[in-house]
Amino acid sequence: MTVPRGAASAGTAAVRCRSVGVSFGTVRALHSVSLDLAPARIHALVGQNGAGNTTLAKVLGGLQTPDAGDVHIAGRKLPPGDVRSARAAGLAMVHQHFSLPPSFTIAEALELTAARPEGRSVYRRAELHRRWHEDVADVGGTAALSTRIRDLPVETRQSLEIVRALTTEARILVLDEPTALLTPAAIEALFERLRRLRDDGITVLIVLHKLREVVAVADTVSVLREGELVLGPVEMSEATQGQISDAIVGPASGADRSIGVAAATGAEHPTLLELVRVSSRESAFEPGLRSVDLSVESGEIVGVAGVEGNGQRGLVSVIAGLGAAIEGSVLLGGSEATRSPPGRRRSRGLRLVPFDRNSEGISRSAPLWLNQSALRLIGRRRRRSPLISLRDYKRQATEALDHWQVRYNAVTQPAESLSGGNMQRLILARELAPGLEVLVAAQPTRGLDFSATSFVRRSLRGLRDAGAGVLLVSSDLDELFELSDRLLVMYGGQIVARLEAPFDRRAVGDAMTGASR
Amino acid sequence: MTGGLQRVVSTLVLVGVSFCLTALILWISGYSVGEVFSGIIQGSVTATGAATSSIRWSIPLLLIGLGVVIGFRAGFFNIGGQGQFYVGACSALAVSLGWSGGPALLVVLCGTLAAIGAGTAWSLLPGYLRVRFGTDEVLTTLMMSFIGTLVLQYLTAGPMRNPSGTGQTAASERIPEGFRITDSSGVSPTVLVLVGGVAVLVWLLLERTRFGLAMTLVGRNPTMARWQGIDVRRVGLGAFALSGALAGLAGAVELYGPGARLVTGFSPEVGFTAVVVALVGLLSVWGTVVSAVFFGGLQSAILFLPIVTDLPPPALVLLHGMVAFLVTVRFRAIRLRPATSAEEALAD
């Protein structure tokens, strides 16, 4: 199949974006993205998390109103942020997370979302089944139409999402990370299906994170980085894998290689945290860990890189004791902790900076002093009196918050009144207190502005220099390169690469996207 | 502090509005509003024995209401106080009748402990279902409450029925006079000291112990509490247990105090009114004390009113309902966590 590209196709582009920009507060999610997608082709859109892929997909689908620019479908301008007209123009979205109601049967779910409402609001079961039989047979789905969505295996649910999208008579299909939850065999089946749809003249835009998958399915590839289109769309035949992974991770920024040289050699460095062949169950959003080996010694920062959703959450929750390891063991300070509850692990010096400040890191409605004192509430402490002194709690909280330069008015104010950067300082003030042996920091600078970010990074470095061990999970490669003494790359629940400073961006990028496998 | 003051004022305003609305309804129905309201004042404060009666009714409301406060603190809504109150009273009765020859102090102590145990058990079952399976505790505590009511009916109409009783409602035999801690007025120094002591203990527990602070954190954000290493299930079970224990205790106080025997369906609304008491008390211990006295006075007035006006008692229950409704409408979910759109976008 040959389709003219470039300027010649501009008039006939199936989808055309013109200088699309989206900002959330001070965060720029998309900046002046212009993109033409030729009809009847499979276009891959790749980029790191937070690069703007999903936001762009949402703009196309009318789920996100752009601040600037516009979207044309088949030459006609779409009103911004209008799902119905996007759908009417023949564009259908398949979302990252399943959107069909789990308690419905297949037939009911399809009827619910169908674009061709056939008459009555009262229906008979047999009639429904007759209507939807063909569509589902199309998927090669052997599932009975009366099966409930929640009882279906993941890949069938995924195919049904596509069936649902196509029932709207779509000519353009936008898939947002459809492979995240699928097994390799199911991914191949999905790709085969997409190829058939393309051959039927349907335009496909697919958001992917793995180079291998891009190579397997895409006709063209476009790369977003920090909200800007940095590559493409280019024909797959004209792009090398190296070029694409460079575009994804960005150019090296000078500082990379100079910092992060291993700490003093020869000195005694006890292992503070160790995972031995740890496996865990998969979650709704992530593959489970598969035989993960990892150790963090005193006086080092170990970085964990990887595209989000490759087991980082599972890793942190197994270390924290919030999720169970089904195999292998977790050691804290050299002794067994696999079965210890979270509270015991924290009493033994494990500290955490969770992924999501707002829900996991703080209690928004609780006063600052109570947020700050959470660590004092666990573990056994033998005291003469069961009663505590609030004045003492508040005084200690005040000291800690002042020391960490949190900006606040009174320790009794609720934590939600703080800015993002100050919330993170509050968390650090609590976690980086005496008693810390090893810190697991998950996305510690996400969403923070420049000064807050450099404050957090300084704190982590100071911690390392003071002899603590740090496991830093981040999707910011620059941050990882700057801080880590060693770097691990996660992919599909496994650690696929172990690198020492100085780091090679290409190698990291390849490992993250699975290109090196 | 201004936020707290504002909440107190707005609650008082709502109670005032409820009075006005009730007055409006009474006026439309052709009653003399002035007469009814002077009846309320008489029935709750000025008439002979009215103040005592108000206190008598506020005692079970306070004890059960404090239990509701504890549950809420940990994020749970125990509305099954009625059933926990009944099974508590039944257990105390069983101990007292079964061992009616024993030394009074010992029997009353055992009976009270039995009541606390029964109330605890009645609340722990829904509590376990909640922390283990996530079963909605509003449904389970309510259903357990109905079972508790039926247990009381069965016992007073069956095994514990006083065979010589001739009244229309089934009632148990009376416990020996020596076991009682008040006369039939329901108020005595012993009871007041007991209830006051309980209120102080609950306040200390919630505000001055590590367990109380842990409950607060769990109630406000269980996810964060889990990350902090707090055993959320243990804290949840503890809150349910204490909540039921207080309702059970209220049952024992009712039996050894004004009741002396159990009548089918006695104090039928006290467990549910207690939830309103806790909400009007802004889920604080001392607020609940004030609000319990207010609702106790209202209950006393309801019983007194038919003496001075031709108003049927349910007309004043209307006032109850109005307060409950308005306060509940205003009551905001304590676990409110709006995510900003920037974070949503970054969580792609």
Side-chain angles (χ1 to χ4, degrees), chain B:
Chain B
M1 230 47 256
T2 52
L5 190 64
Q6 199 185 340
R7 295 195 316 154
V8 171
V9 170
S10 80
T11 305
L12 291 178
V13 167
L14 283 177
V15 171
V17 169
S18 313
F19 268 98
C20 294
L21 286 175
T22 309
L24 187 69
I25 293 172
L26 293 179
W27 178 69
I28 292 172
S29 325
Y31 290 99
S32 155
V33 174
E35 200 173 82
V36 170
F37 277 74
S38 101
I40 291 178
I41 302 292
Q42 289 178 48
S44 55
V45 187
T46 55
T48 321
T52 312
S53 164
S54 296
I55 302 286
R56 174 254 178 279
W57 288 109
S58 62
I59 287 169
L61 289 176
L62 175 59
L63 289 174
I64 304 173
L66 288 175
V68 175
V69 170
I70 291 177
F72 253 118
R73 197 55 73 98
F76 302 114
F77 202 172
N78 174 13
I79 61 165
Q82 189 74 37
Q84 294 151 13
F85 171 69
Y86 279 165
V87 296
C90 289
S91 307
L93 180 70
V95 169
S96 310
L97 292 182
W99 192 18
S100 53
L105 191 64
L106 201 59
V107 176
V108 171
L109 202 64
C110 289
T112 305
L113 288 178
I116 290 173
T120 304
W122 224 248
S123 166
L124 264 183
L125 179 64
Y128 177 76
L129 293 175
R130 171 64 206 242
V131 300
R132 181 71 185 76
F133 303 108
T135 318
D136 190 337
E137 77 278 7
V138 172
L139 286 177
T140 48
T141 52
L142 186 62
M143 295 305 138
M144 286 298 284
S145 181
F146 291 140
I147 297 175
T149 305
L150 293 170
V151 166
L152 172 76
Q153 280 183 18
Y154 164 68
L155 290 178
T156 50
M160 289 182 175
R161 178 170 192 151
N162 182 0
S164 60
T166 51
Q168 297 207 327
T169 47
S172 73
E173 284 183 52
R174 295 178 72 84
I175 58 170
E177 277 305 306
F179 291 176
R180 296 184 62 185
I181 52 177
T182 73
D183 56 16
S184 56
S185 76
V187 180
S188 71
T190 321
V191 167
L192 293 180
V193 168
L194 175 78
V195 173
V198 166
V200 170
L201 281 179
V202 170
W203 180 79
L204 285 174
L205 173 84
L206 289 179
E207 310 292 344
R208 292 290 183 273
T209 66
R210 295 203 295 157
F211 187 74
L213 296 186
M215 275 205 291
T216 308
L217 273 184
V218 170
R220 286 175 183 266
N221 182 352
T223 309
M224 179 263 193
R226 249 166 62 82
W227 277 83
Q228 285 301 309
I230 292 170
D231 189 338
V232 173
R233 286 185 184 180
R234 211 190 98 225
V235 170
L237 284 179
F240 270 105
L242 287 167
S243 185
L246 284 169
L249 174 66
V253 170
E254 191 70 20
L255 176 75
Y256 294 125
R261 59 173 189 158
L262 297 186
V263 182
T264 288
F266 69 98
S267 310
E269 265 135 35
V270 71
F272 299 106
T273 307
V275 176
V276 183
V277 166
L279 291 179
V280 172
L282 294 171
L283 301 176
S284 80
V285 171
W286 305 124
T288 302
V289 171
V290 173
S291 135
V293 170
F294 171 76
F295 278 92
L298 216 52
Q299 181 65 34
S300 168
I302 288 173
L303 298 173
F304 175 83
L305 217 56
I307 302 173
V308 290
T309 70
D310 51 353
L311 190 69
L316 263 202
V317 181
L318 189 70
L319 178 57
H320 251 204
M322 207 74 85
V323 176
F325 179 74
L326 288 177
V327 169
T328 317
V329 165
R330 196 219 40 175
F331 201 78
R332 294 232 212 90
I334 47 176
R335 276 174 278 174
L336 211 62
R337 192 182 68 81
T340 67
S341 48
E343 279 152 4
E344 272 170 27
L346 290 166
D348 283 352

Side-chain angles (χ1 to χ4, degrees), chain A residues 301-452:
Chain A
I301 296 180
V302 178
V304 177
V307 174
E308 235 167 289
N310 274 286
Q312 294 93 323
R313 271 192 167 268
L315 178 70
V316 173
S317 73
V318 162
I319 295 172
L322 299 167
I326 49 176
E327 248 171 36
S329 45
V330 178
L331 292 94
L332 273 176
S335 52
E336 182 63 30
T338 317
R339 303 263 166 271
S340 303
R344 179 117 14 105
R345 298 184 196 206
R346 288 178 69 73
S347 308
R348 282 168 62 178
L350 176 69
R351 297 291 183 267
L352 303 159
V353 176
F355 288 93
D356 182 356
R357 280 192 283 289
N358 279 297
S359 65
E360 295 160 345
I362 59 156
S363 174
R364 291 177 63 87
S365 61
L368 295 182
W369 68 267
L370 186 53
N371 271 293
Q372 171 61 33
S373 307
L375 262 172
R376 302 180 71 176
L377 305 179
I378 54 165
R380 248 163 233 141
R381 238 172 264 179
R382 293 211 168 74
R383 286 259 190 81
R384 276 160 302 165
S385 156
L387 299 183
I388 55 174
S389 152
L390 282 199
R391 190 183 303 165
D392 173 46
Y393 272 55
K394 287 177 182 165
R395 185 180 45 76
Q396 209 181 54
T398 310
E399 279 168 14
L401 295 182
D402 289 346
H403 178 73
W404 286 86
Q405 296 168 7
V406 179
R407 254 180 249 148
Y408 66 101
N409 296 319
V411 280
T412 48
Q413 80 189 68
E416 63 198 340
S417 58
L418 296 182
S419 70
N422 275 310
M423 268 184 205
Q424 198 71 330
R425 280 174 197 254
L426 167 69
I427 293 173
L428 293 176
R430 178 181 66 217
E431 302 293 320
L432 274 56
L436 179 149
E437 295 280 326
V438 55
L439 175 78
V440 177
Q443 309 287 10
T445 59
R446 166 171 288 178
L448 298 187
D449 61 20
F450 179 77
S451 69

Side-chain angles (χ1 to χ4, degrees), chain A residues 145-157:
Chain A
L145 283 163
S146 53
T147 317
R148 300 214 177 269
I149 303 286
R150 63 163 166 257
D151 298 329
L152 295 172
V154 172
E155 53 265 31
T156 314
R157 285 176 79 169

